[in-house]
Amino acid sequence: MRFILFLPLLIFVGFIVGILGSLFGIGGGFLVAPILTFIFDYFGIPDGVKFAVGTSLLVVFINSIVSIFRHAKIKNINWKASIIIGVISLVFSYISGFLVVNFIDSAMLKKLFGIFLISNAIYMAKSHHIDKISDREDNLAHFIFCGVVAGFLSGLFGIGGGIVIIPILTFAKYPVKRSVAISVGVIPLTSIGGLISYLTANTNSYIYNIGYVSIPIALIMAIPIIYSSKLGIKINQKISSKHLRIMLSAILGTMGLIMLL
């Protein structure tokens, strides 16, 4: 019965994640994973953070498919770059997901996630130069590096990788909106690699789960994503790169502090 109290929160978070997925080209795992960690810890589920990360990856995967559909309608995806980064990240997200499931302590994972989010927030807040970038040519080395880092962190923290890809590409002087367009196509591949590791983990049955993935909770959060992703696309087409950067930085910093505290 206590779980029913969290239903409005899950639906609300799903709604916000749908907007963020289309707006920023991210899966929303940086928001889903901390909130699910709190809920699973509240219910006293062993390895709550691992359940949160695994369930988050399924939500991220669903959100990324919806975001691709929305962006493809306006021909706003760089498929060549997305596939290169995505295939590499799939392999590394599976590897890091396997490490989390079998070797990494949950408490340590929580702190690492908080530090990672805050570091990203600080970088995005200070990167004023990226607002003035118009465009640049594709660079294979940048895409390979993105794939390795995004994939490894995706499986580790239950994120889609967009929250890593966008800062890396903007640091390499890709415009923010172009970075978003690349990120949108990468996330399904990145998230599925780590998701496989969590689905195949040997766990007890706590929350109608398969491995470290709670299927009902993921589906509850995914339903509002279908509707809210439309709003994210509309905002993306109207907002400036500067405001995109500032909003993303604020959200990252807030969730990072929550994970640490």
Side-chain angles (χ1 to χ4, degrees):
M1 286 297 292
R2 288 185 302 168
F3 174 72
I4 296 176
L5 298 174
F6 288 102
L7 277 177
L9 176 61
L10 293 174
I11 293 170
F12 175 74
V13 171
F15 185 84
I16 297 300
V17 164
I19 294 174
L20 296 180
S22 296
L23 179 59
F24 295 119
I26 56 181
F30 71 94
L31 182 63
V32 176
I35 289 172
L36 290 183
T37 298
F38 165 74
I39 292 174
F40 293 154
D41 285 349
Y42 175 81
F43 283 102
I45 295 171
D47 289 325
V49 67
K50 292 183 181 180
F51 272 105
V53 170
T55 306
S56 171
L57 281 170
L58 180 53
V59 175
V60 165
F61 177 73
I62 295 170
N63 188 24
S64 65
I65 296 300
V66 175
S67 293
I68 280 182
F69 177 74
R70 302 294 185 204
H71 280 264
K73 279 187 171 182
I74 55 174
K75 299 179 180 179
N76 195 31
I77 300 177
N78 185 332
W79 286 112
K80 178 184 174 182
S82 296
I83 291 171
I84 293 171
I85 297 172
V87 170
I88 295 170
S89 65
L90 187 154
V91 175
F92 281 88
S93 65
Y94 175 81
I95 293 170
S96 61
F98 178 82
L99 292 175
V100 170
V101 167
N102 294 284
F103 302 110
I104 298 178
D105 176 69
S106 294
M108 177 60 69
L109 184 61
K110 205 182 294 186
K111 287 182 170 50
L112 287 172
F113 194 15
I115 293 169
F116 163 73
L117 290 176
I118 291 172
S119 300
N120 247 345
I122 292 171
Y123 170 73
M124 291 298 289
K126 294 176 67 176
S127 301
H128 305 288
H129 66 282
I130 64 179
D131 300 328
K132 301 176 183 178
I133 299 171
S134 57
D135 207 355
R136 66 157 300 152
E137 292 183 4
D138 287 354
N139 185 301
L140 182 60
H142 295 156
F143 297 157
I144 293 173
F145 180 72
C146 269
V148 173
V149 177
F152 190 81
L153 294 179
S154 175
L156 200 63
F157 297 135
I159 58 177
I163 214 69
V164 183
I165 293 167
I166 294 170
I168 289 175
L169 290 180
T170 51
F171 183 77
K173 295 183 169 45
Y174 289 81
V176 174
K177 292 202 173 186
R178 188 173 171 205
S179 301
V180 168
I182 293 172
S183 176
V184 167
V186 173
I187 296 173
L189 291 171
T190 305
S191 55
I192 199 69
L195 182 58
I196 291 169
S197 295
Y198 288 89
L199 283 169
T200 54
N202 185 20
T203 62
N204 294 319
S205 181
Y206 296 112
I207 41 180
Y208 301 99
N209 56 297
I210 300 175
Y212 278 118
V213 181
S214 173
I215 304 300
I217 290 178
L219 293 178
I220 289 169
M221 300 185 78
I223 291 171
I225 286 173
I226 298 171
Y227 301 97
S228 62
S229 59
K230 293 180 182 179
L231 181 58
I233 280 289
K234 290 180 180 179
I235 298 172
N236 180 281
Q237 292 176 304
K238 295 179 180 179
I239 197 169
S240 69
S241 294
K242 177 182 178 180
H243 290 123
L244 274 176
R245 175 178 57 80
I246 293 170
M247 288 169 61
L248 186 56
S249 174
I251 294 170
L252 286 173
T254 301
M255 297 313 300
L257 285 172
I258 289 173
M259 288 300 287
L260 283 178
L261 301 177

